[in-house]
Amino acid sequence: MNDAKPTNLDQARSGIRAGEISILCATRGRPEMLAESFASLKATTTQKDKTVLWIYVDEDDQITRQAIDAGTIPDPGLPIHWHIGPRTAGLGEIHEVLWNASGRASEVYMISTDKSQFATPEWDNVVRA
């Protein structure tokens, strides 16, 4: 048994952005589902300035890319970063690419897909607590 106290991370020195949640999301060929996910985020996220979306789109996903270019995917009301890249072997690779692109500085990371719905009001404050 180890009685040593756990070491708390000094967020200021580590560069971690306190309270920031990054959602790492994969999508492919379902802009309507992605729009529904965005709408649920917009309706239930309390601290939109501290919640960031990182979205991975395969470079050969013409349906989603056309929807992005046409502006038919509604604004989720929070910062969004689109990442267009090669098709990967699986979701784990996508989430790793997005995690690296994000700078790995958010306090919390969540993995997601275009099917996800955020139905709990103030879900982000629940996560932060």
Side-chain angles (χ1 to χ4, degrees), residues 6 11 14 16 20 26 28 38 45 48-49 57 70 76 110 117:
Q11 290 179 331
S14 69
I16 300 297
E20 184 176 274
R28 180 167 177 88
F38 281 11
T45 304
K48 291 177 175 63
D49 61 325
V57 180
M110 298 174 60
Q117 294 291 309

Side-chain angles (χ1 to χ4, degrees), residues 4-16:
K5 287 185 176 182
T7 303
N8 289 331
L9 180 65
D10 181 345
Q11 290 179 331
R13 288 185 55 209
S14 69
I16 300 297

Side-chain angles (χ1 to χ4, degrees), residues 66-89:
Q66 287 171 358
I68 294 166
D69 293 343
T72 59
I73 299 174
D75 178 13
L78 40 113
I80 184 167
H81 302 276
W82 296 98
H83 184 90
I84 311 297
R87 202 165 180 181
T88 66

